[in-house]
Amino acid sequence: MSSAVGGLLCCGSTNEAKAQRLISQEIDRQLAKDKRRIRRTVRVLLLGSGESGKSTFLKQMRIINGGEFGDDELKQFKLTIFANVVMGAKVLIDARDKLHIPWENDDNDARASWVFNYDPNIKLDESVFAQFVPKIIELWKDEGIKSAYDRRREYQLGESIKYYLDNIDRIGQMNYVPTTLDVLHSRKATKGISDLEFVIKNIPFVFLDVGGQRSQRQKWYRCFDEVTSILFLVSSSEFDQVLFEDRKTNRLIESCNIFETIVNNKSFATVSIILFLNKTDLLVEKIRIADIREFFPQFSGNPRSLSDVQQFELQMFDLRRREKARPLFHHFTTAIDTDNIKFVFQCVHDTILQDNLKSLMLQ
């Protein structure tokens, strides 16, 4: 009797041990699989100063790779767009006053006061925003506000405000749903780290977007481990503007200084660093009204030539590199143009994979 019981116990413990081994082996296989996947993952870090277009580029990556925005996300973007419109209108109203630009229509003074006194603690939902729309429409028609907008380099104004004000009739409709272009123009400062992951041709990509304002840059170092490539974005149209943070440092110079720190960092000796001179669409507009020689006297080309200005800016960044053995990979981009970013990213994708072929193959 005791012998039979002992046999049953022995058999039970053997089966249990076998089951545990199988579980352990499955865990080991999964861990090995995850480790291979992590080794094969291309980690792309988006760097650049504030408002250089990093978050817009991240949105484009999602759009290009089939990631639709859900209803809840569109509702959030709608609130962001409403805030962009109202806050932008307030900045224009304040600028008109401080620049001592007269109203074309004196009746707009009362409308401006009403808009300017908006309490940001009040949620800008559809019903609240609807109260602003007719007033902002009239303000945007006024030559006083238009003149303030034309002098926008003298103060801090979001770049999307003209797009939104030109489309205020549509945006102000009840049951408005943001279009893809509306979403791409929306602006909300990145706080912390945002990431996006997707697979391209069986290769996992992870994009990391870190806030570009000075107060956010200490967080960059958390993302430096295991970086495959850095996309450094620059707002090429900001050669005549100063930083929001200190109101005196030229934005293009600030970008050059950050780029110099990154490109010469020994930790990135084997990392593909690709420069995006972004916002070409805004640069085209800017060179029609602003002369780059007023801000960079060393410029010797035609200040109205897009190519001359772009090559000058490219050289500014190239001169900051100490190691010139490799060419500076660069692209002139317009982050809100999906076709442009799709084409550019294909080039970037090929560059990254070529530079990391050995480490990505056979893993």
Side-chain angles (χ1 to χ4, degrees):
M1 179 75 176
S2 60
S3 175
V5 171
L8 286 171
L9 290 173
C10 180
C11 181
S13 61
T14 301
N15 288 337
E16 185 178 341
K18 185 177 180 181
Q20 290 294 332
R21 279 199 305 274
L22 289 173
I23 292 171
S24 178
Q25 289 169 1
E26 179 57 32
I27 292 172
D28 289 342
R29 275 195 298 271
Q30 188 60 48
L31 288 172
K33 183 179 178 181
D34 290 344
K35 186 178 288 188
R36 286 195 301 272
R37 187 176 187 280
I38 290 170
R39 284 203 303 267
R40 292 182 72 245
T41 296
V42 175
R43 288 171 57 87
V44 181
L45 185 58
L46 305 180
L47 295 182
S49 60
E51 299 186 50
S52 57
K54 299 184 299 299
S55 298
T56 305
F57 181 85
L58 200 64
K59 292 174 195 170
Q60 287 284 26
M61 288 296 94
R62 178 170 173 177
I63 292 166
I64 290 167
N65 291 280
E68 297 291 331
F69 295 109
D71 291 342
D72 289 341
E73 289 175 298
L74 288 175
K75 287 177 183 176
Q76 288 303 312
F77 279 123
K78 181 160 72 170
L79 295 178
T80 299
I81 290 166
F82 289 169
N84 288 169
V85 172
V86 173
M87 299 310 293
K90 288 183 64 172
V91 171
L92 284 169
I93 290 165
D94 187 49
R96 185 214 62 84
D97 182 57
K98 289 179 177 174
L99 293 171
H100 306 293
I101 300 171
W103 289 111
E104 178 189 19
N105 178 0
D106 289 338
D107 290 344
N108 279 327
D109 192 49
R111 295 186 182 100
S113 294
W114 193 94
V115 172
F116 192 76
N117 288 324
Y118 162 68
D119 181 355
N121 293 315
I122 298 174
K123 184 179 179 181
L124 257 178
D125 59 21
E126 204 167 59
S127 60
V128 174
F129 183 70
Q131 300 173 49
F132 286 86
V133 173
K135 298 174 179 65
I136 290 176
I137 287 174
E138 292 304 314
L139 291 172
W140 186 230
K141 291 177 183 176
D142 196 291
E143 285 301 319
I145 291 293
K146 291 283 181 68
S147 296
Y149 175 78
D150 289 341
R151 293 174 62 178
R152 59 194 176 279
R153 78 165 188 82
E154 300 176 41
Y155 55 96
Q156 305 292 328
L157 180 68
E159 292 168 338
S160 294
I161 187 62
K162 184 179 187 301
Y163 170 82
Y164 287 137
L165 293 180
D166 285 345
N167 288 276
I168 187 69
D169 288 322
R170 175 176 58 82
I171 294 170
Q173 292 177 359
M174 296 302 288
N175 301 316
Y176 156 71
V177 177
T179 66
T180 298
L181 198 54
D182 294 346
V183 169
L184 289 171
H185 274 93
S186 67
R187 170 68 181 150
K188 189 174 184 180
T190 302
K191 303 292 185 184
I193 302 166
S194 301
D195 68 297
L196 178 68
E197 183 173 354
F198 51 85
V199 177
I200 304 177
K201 297 178 181 177
N202 296 319
I203 301 291
F205 275 73
V206 175
F207 282 83
L208 300 168
D209 172 24
V210 193
Q213 289 79 14
R214 285 180 172 179
S215 61
Q216 296 292 309
R217 290 178 201 159
Q218 71 270 20
K219 299 174 184 176
W220 288 9
Y221 296 97
R222 302 179 195 171
C223 306
F224 285 173
D225 291 339
E226 306 296 327
V227 169
T228 311
S229 182
I230 293 173
L231 304 187
F232 192 92
L233 281 79
V234 177
S235 180
S236 64
S237 64
E238 294 182 343
F239 62 77
D240 63 340
Q241 294 171 251
V242 294
L243 289 182
F244 175 80
E245 290 93 333
D246 69 7
R247 311 296 174 98
K248 62 182 181 180
T249 304
N250 181 280
R251 291 191 181 191
L252 198 57
I253 294 294
E254 175 83 350
S255 290
C256 281
N257 292 339
I258 303 169
F259 180 75
E260 182 175 15
T261 301
I262 297 298
V263 79
N264 296 313
N265 190 318
K266 292 180 181 179
S267 301
F268 302 138
T270 60
V271 172
S272 303
I273 300 179
I274 303 172
L275 177 67
F276 278 20
L277 287 165
N278 192 30
K279 304 191 180 180
T280 300
D281 56 329
L282 298 180
L283 180 60
V284 169
E285 294 178 9
K286 182 64 68 70
I287 61 176
R288 291 177 186 150
I289 59 173
D291 190 332
I292 193 171
R293 293 174 298 187
E294 294 181 22
F295 310 93
F296 296 92
Q298 66 271 37
F299 177 82
S300 59
N302 178 357
R304 298 290 179 256
S305 166
L306 177 64
S307 176
D308 285 3
V309 173
Q310 285 180 325
Q311 290 304 315
F312 172 75
E313 292 187 350
L314 176 60
Q315 187 181 40
M316 285 179 63
F317 286 87
D318 197 23
L319 288 172
R320 299 297 185 106
R321 297 191 305 144
R322 299 191 195 111
E323 178 54 62
K324 300 292 183 69
R326 301 176 66 190
L328 173 58
F329 293 111
H330 66 277
H331 295 278
F332 301 110
T333 59
T334 298
I336 59 169
D337 183 339
T338 301
D339 289 337
N340 172 251
I341 296 302
K342 186 183 295 184
F343 172 78
V344 168
F345 181 67
Q346 184 57 55
C347 299
V348 169
H349 170 267
D350 294 344
T351 299
I352 292 172
L353 294 190
Q354 187 62 41
D355 278 4
N356 297 275
L357 198 57
K358 290 182 180 178
S359 61
L360 294 172
M361 293 242 331
L362 305 177
Q363 290 187 13

